[in-house]
Amino acid sequence: MQKRRSTKNLTILFVPDDNTSVFSLKINALLFIFLCVLWLGATVFAGFIIYKDINYRTTLQYNKYLTQKHKEFAKEILELRETVKRTAEVENQLRDLLKLKSKNAIIKYTGFGGPSYIDTKLLEKELENNNEIISRKAFEAAVKYIDSQAQTNEKSFQEIIKYITDQRAKLTAVPSGWPVKGWITCGFGSRIDPFTGALSFHQGVDIANDLGAPVKATADGVVQYADFERGGYGNLITINHGNGYITRYGHLQKFVVSPGQHIKKNQIIGFLGNSGKSTSPHLHYEVILNGVAINPVKYLNKEVALK
């Protein structure tokens, strides 16, 4: 006969603290293992559910945070849009004040491609409607408008800066003011030469003062000549100011500049003297425009507007 297989059992003893009778529970070993596995599985499942719930709540809070940030970001974009718009208005005012006429100005007043200001109203509308989710299209339209307008403004301001820089260069190249303090003893034009007694043409003005009075450049420029001139000018300085302007300073006691040196307006270039064909200490001052001598008097009381 086949031997019957015995079933293994487990006995669990419950021992009370008050020394009363011990209670025992006999249970099948396989059933006990099954119950343990079931309990462990339930614990793991419960932990997973709790984890997913916590994660869900965290994600929900984060989404609310992102939604709020999106709205704040949208408001900042709209504020930036208004700033760019105001900058464009300032740029228009500057152009109007400077009377600039350029291709960019024509484009600006006749319209140009790219996103328009009206396109960005979509973002503003979604904010006013308090939409929970602001569309990507609204953000893109607003950002493209700001980027396009900012680039246009930057190019325009660069053109304005260049224009002002060029105008400043032109203004600082125009002789203005007195090269030395004093009084005019001989004007521009025809006169009797004090050495020959013959009628001659005086190409500048003579400004008298004490010997050694400082002589200053009347405009920015580059020294072309600084030496003793034997034709009668004595110690002579010639400065090229660009834009066709040249000034000459003759009869100097001495000069403190050299050829090729860059000179700024009101910089001391020498000292009043009596060198060359001169009867008394004075400065012979000439203004030449495009090779033609101009009466310096009209430049003496003229001051450069831009400093």
Side-chain angles (χ1 to χ4, degrees):
M1 287 183 65
Q2 189 177 1
K3 204 170 188 179
R4 192 173 179 183
R5 196 171 180 180
S6 61
T7 303
K8 291 184 178 180
N9 294 319
L10 295 175
T11 301
I12 302 174
L13 297 176
F14 298 91
V15 181
D17 291 338
D18 54 2
N19 294 324
T20 55
S21 58
V22 176
F23 175 73
S24 64
L25 176 65
K26 187 176 289 187
I27 186 170
N28 185 277
L30 292 176
L31 178 61
F32 178 77
I33 293 172
F34 172 75
L35 291 175
C36 288
V37 171
L38 184 64
W39 175 81
L40 182 62
T43 302
V44 172
F45 180 73
F48 176 75
I49 294 298
I50 293 171
Y51 166 76
K52 294 296 287 183
D53 181 68
I54 293 173
N55 187 54
Y56 170 75
R57 292 178 184 276
T58 302
T59 303
L60 195 64
Q61 290 296 322
Y62 186 64
N63 285 340
K64 288 182 179 179
Y65 169 78
L66 287 180
T67 301
Q68 182 62 31
K69 284 297 180 183
H70 270 109
K71 290 182 178 180
E72 292 176 3
F73 182 54
K75 290 178 181 178
E76 290 177 0
I77 287 180
L78 291 177
E79 290 174 1
L80 184 59
R81 178 196 66 181
E82 294 302 318
T83 300
V84 170
K85 185 171 177 284
R86 286 195 299 272
T87 304
E89 291 170 355
V90 171
E91 179 261 336
N92 287 339
Q93 292 173 3
L94 277 174
R95 283 185 170 275
D96 187 53
L97 287 172
L98 297 171
K99 303 299 181 184
L100 282 179
K101 300 297 179 183
S102 67
K103 182 179 178 181
N104 284 348
I106 294 170
I107 292 174
K108 179 169 287 298
Y109 287 108
T110 57
F112 54 89
S116 66
Y117 181 80
I118 297 175
D119 293 333
T120 65
K121 286 289 185 179
L122 179 61
L123 183 60
E124 189 174 336
K125 187 176 180 181
E126 291 196 11
L127 274 176
E128 289 175 353
N129 294 337
N130 201 25
N131 292 354
E132 286 297 322
I133 299 177
I134 299 173
S135 68
R136 181 175 178 179
K137 180 181 178 182
F139 272 113
E140 287 180 347
V143 171
K144 282 182 179 179
Y145 168 80
I146 292 171
D147 181 61
S148 174
Q149 189 64 55
Q151 289 185 27
T152 301
N153 290 348
E154 181 185 8
K155 290 178 181 178
S156 187
F157 275 118
Q158 286 176 349
E159 184 177 323
I160 291 172
I161 290 170
K162 184 179 183 301
Y163 174 81
I164 293 175
T165 302
D166 291 343
Q167 291 302 307
R168 175 185 169 82
K170 289 179 181 179
L171 284 172
T172 55
V174 177
S176 62
W178 290 67
V180 65
K181 293 180 180 180
W183 55 95
I184 296 176
T185 55
C186 184
F188 177 86
S190 298
R191 69 166 185 174
I192 301 297
D193 190 299
F195 291 94
T196 64
L199 185 67
S200 64
F201 188 81
H202 192 227
Q203 290 197 142
V205 292
D206 291 339
I207 304 173
N209 202 324
D210 294 333
L211 192 69
V215 176
K216 300 178 181 179
T218 53
D220 294 355
V222 179
V223 177
Q224 275 190 333
Y225 185 91
D227 206 342
F228 184 83
E229 199 276 329
R230 299 185 181 279
Y233 284 99
N235 289 326
L236 172 70
I237 294 175
T238 301
I239 300 177
N240 189 335
H241 304 285
N243 297 296
Y245 279 102
I246 291 175
T247 54
R248 287 177 180 162
Y249 311 78
H251 307 308
L252 297 171
Q253 182 185 54
K254 66 176 180 177
F255 41 82
V256 292
V257 294
S258 55
Q261 183 177 345
H262 288 265
I263 301 298
K264 302 297 289 184
K265 177 179 170 62
N266 292 326
Q267 180 177 336
I268 295 176
I269 56 175
F271 298 91
L272 187 143
N274 192 30
S275 60
K277 289 184 179 181
S278 173
T279 58
S280 62
H282 73 281
L283 173 71
H284 173 79
Y285 176 58
E286 293 182 12
V287 175
I288 299 170
L289 178 60
N290 297 322
V292 179
I294 305 295
N295 190 349
V297 171
K298 70 179 189 177
Y299 293 95
L300 294 180
N301 296 320
K302 180 180 179 182
E303 288 299 331
V304 176
L306 292 178
K307 297 296 183 183

